[in-house]
Amino acid sequence: ATLESYAYAHLALTAYHWSRGEPVAARAAFARSREIFRQIGHHYLLGACTVYEFNEVVMPYQTDDHETMDQLLSLAKEALQNASGAESEASMLRAGQLPLRLLRGAWQSVIDDGQAETSTPYSEGRSVWGPVTLAKLAAYQGDLTTAWQQVRHELPEGPPTEPGDTYFSPATQMQRIAISLALSTHDLAGAADWLAAHDRWLDWNASVLGRADGALLWAQYHQASGQTALARQQAEAALAQATSPRQPLALIAIHRFLGQLDTDARRFEDADRQLHASLQLADACAAPFERALTLLERAELRLAQRRTEEATVLLDEVQAICAPLDAKPTLARTDALRQRLTQLTKVAPHCPAGLSQREVEVLRLIADGLTDREIASVLSISHFTVMRHVSNVLNKLGVTSRTAAAAIALRQDLV
């Protein structure tokens, strides 16, 4: 065997390891492959395999490791500059950075470079990352027609497409985009077909990478179907799968979704904890759009807690991030939430039976079924202060139970 054949053998091992959730072993195989390409002076393949390492290992498993990212991109740039045929090498480097640019919020450069890359056939060196990145961007900007066009171009047979004749990693990413698109229009039957196809492909490849993303999509499917318990079960499974091996981008979305479920269940402390974890990871990954999506869920939480001023500040930041990106669906959600805030704040609550404004707030939360400790968390006051307010509310209303107080709140249109 030649040295070059050994390099290709190590490249084959990289795919084996990264798909099975073994990023350390995958990077070791990449390092061996790169060293052989360096020895034989094959600069293009040295640069190309470095770009693949960046996208297939570092992006999913080390998204918050900026030093490693910078090192690999620098190495790829140096190798490709030393290769012949400067334009094709520059194209490889541009294409390899499309997913990172999308993550970092450089969306216009994705549009400019991505469309050029996708016009080239795979057989002539077409980017395997361009179509996926453009499909995601189209979905983020609300252009569902273009997003579906990208999906159908890569998987023309739709969910029945069998694995084996196309690039596995971008194809399964396209399947996940298709699932999200179907869920966004409440096409549950279509989403179920794509989910089944995604599971089938992962099973065929015995792949670990993609399992957490798939479980989260199943959770979103169950939520859309009204099956909250199944949604939480799948989301918790996704969390475990994205924790080991650690996948920061998947974790951002999973924590955000669990925070949403906790907000809906009025488990406000748990929701705060999940959304804080999501926000920390989004910032660590330098992902402004992911940050905006998490801030939007935190605004939903603050609205549920009736902390309207905090919700307004959060929505202002979401607007500041998403307006330059033209992220229409997120901006539409932001506007809808602002309208709900306006409705909540424009009518001052009337105060029956001589209740103070604070006591009316406590009464509303009693009617919502919150315990004293939960009310304390919502209003950011002590448990003992809540107990005093509850006692005052019951005395002023002339009732002896929280249930009776809640009934009065309903009759007075306070909830």
Side-chain angles (χ1 to χ4, degrees):
T2 64
L3 275 176
E4 187 170 343
S5 68
Y6 278 120
Y8 280 114
H10 287 303
L11 278 179
L13 283 174
T14 66
Y16 175 88
H17 290 304
W18 88 55
S19 68
R20 280 159 178 74
E22 300 168 355
V24 174
R27 295 206 60 203
F30 267 120
R32 290 191 292 271
S33 182
R34 282 203 312 271
E35 181 56 33
I36 296 171
F37 286 134
R38 185 181 291 108
Q39 287 178 27
I40 63 179
H42 205 319
H43 299 292
Y44 179 78
L45 287 179
L46 170 58
C49 83
T50 305
V51 171
Y52 269 85
E53 179 179 0
F54 179 88
N55 279 295
E56 303 295 353
V57 184
V58 176
M59 279 292 286
Y61 293 114
Q62 295 174 261
T63 330
D64 50 356
D65 186 347
H66 302 298
E67 182 178 356
T68 296
M69 285 186 161
D70 291 343
Q71 288 173 349
L72 282 178
L73 288 176
S74 178
L75 177 61
K77 182 178 181 179
E78 179 184 359
L80 291 170
Q81 284 176 340
N82 290 331
S84 60
E87 179 52 39
S88 63
E89 277 66 61
S91 176
M92 164 64 77
L93 191 59
R94 283 196 305 269
Q97 294 183 75
L98 289 175
L100 180 64
R101 290 179 186 177
L102 181 69
L103 180 69
R104 297 280 173 82
W107 288 10
Q108 188 56 50
S109 73
V110 171
I111 295 171
D112 294 341
D113 289 342
Q115 290 177 342
E117 298 305 328
T118 54
S119 65
T120 305
Y122 281 132
S123 60
E124 298 176 16
R126 177 183 179 183
S127 162
V128 298
W129 306 288
V132 168
T133 307
L134 286 175
K136 287 181 180 178
L137 177 53
Y140 293 164
Q141 293 187 324
D143 184 358
L144 303 191
T145 299
T146 297
W148 274 118
Q149 285 173 349
Q150 293 287 352
V151 171
R152 289 171 181 138
H153 187 268
E154 300 305 309
L155 298 168
E157 296 179 22
T161 306
E162 292 298 329
D165 293 327
T166 188
Y167 290 107
F168 184 85
S169 177
T172 50
Q173 290 184 62
M174 279 297 195
Q175 289 173 335
R176 295 195 286 272
I177 292 168
I179 296 162
S180 294
L181 291 171
L183 289 174
S184 72
T185 57
H186 208 69
D187 176 12
L188 297 185
D193 288 343
W194 282 105
L195 279 161
H198 186 255
D199 286 351
R200 188 174 72 252
W201 277 54
L202 294 184
D203 290 342
W204 174 84
N205 195 37
S207 182
V208 170
L209 189 61
R211 294 281 177 186
D213 305 280
L216 175 60
L217 288 165
W218 271 114
Q220 293 168 346
Y221 169 83
H222 290 311
Q223 181 194 44
S225 304
Q227 302 179 80
T228 305
L230 279 176
R232 181 172 293 278
Q233 179 182 330
Q234 285 286 351
E236 289 173 351
L239 181 61
Q241 290 163 340
T243 301
S244 180
R246 183 173 180 269
Q247 299 156 65
L249 290 179
L251 287 169
I252 293 171
I254 294 163
H255 282 300
R256 182 165 59 229
F257 182 75
L258 284 167
Q260 181 189 122
L261 291 180
D262 286 331
T263 296
D264 291 344
R266 307 192 71 79
R267 294 166 50 175
F268 296 145
E269 289 185 10
D270 291 338
D272 242 333
R273 177 173 53 81
Q274 295 287 359
L275 295 176
H276 179 70
S278 177
L279 202 58
Q280 280 192 316
L281 280 166
D283 290 343
C285 294
F289 184 60
E290 293 293 338
R291 174 179 174 82
L293 293 177
T294 301
L295 289 174
L296 192 56
E297 292 302 336
R298 181 171 272 186
E300 289 273 10
L301 169 61
R302 294 295 178 252
L303 179 60
Q305 294 174 304
R306 292 190 169 85
R307 292 159 64 169
T308 55
E309 290 184 7
E310 294 176 52
T312 300
V313 171
L314 292 167
L315 291 178
D316 288 344
E317 185 175 351
V318 174
Q319 182 85 23
I321 294 171
C322 292
L325 300 176
D326 196 26
K328 293 183 183 70
T330 307
L331 290 169
R333 276 193 63 196
T334 304
D335 290 341
L337 198 50
R338 284 192 192 279
Q339 291 176 7
R340 288 167 54 196
L341 276 169
T342 301
Q343 288 297 115
L344 186 65
T345 57
K346 73 179 181 180
V347 180
H350 58 282
C351 302
L355 296 179
S356 68
Q357 291 280 350
R358 175 62 90 185
E359 288 166 349
V360 168
E361 290 178 344
V362 170
L363 176 57
R364 281 173 158 173
L365 296 173
I366 290 172
D368 285 341
L370 273 65
T371 66
D372 286 355
R373 291 195 181 279
E374 289 170 337
I375 293 172
S377 174
V378 169
L379 299 179
S380 299
I381 57 180
S382 73
H383 178 217
F384 295 105
T385 300
V386 172
M387 291 173 64
R388 185 177 72 251
H389 284 317
V390 171
S391 177
N392 290 340
V393 167
L394 297 180
N395 288 334
K396 289 181 180 182
L397 294 178
V399 297
T400 58
S401 72
R402 299 166 79 97
T403 302
I408 292 174
L410 288 170
R411 288 199 300 273
Q412 296 286 337
D413 198 27
L414 293 176
V415 292

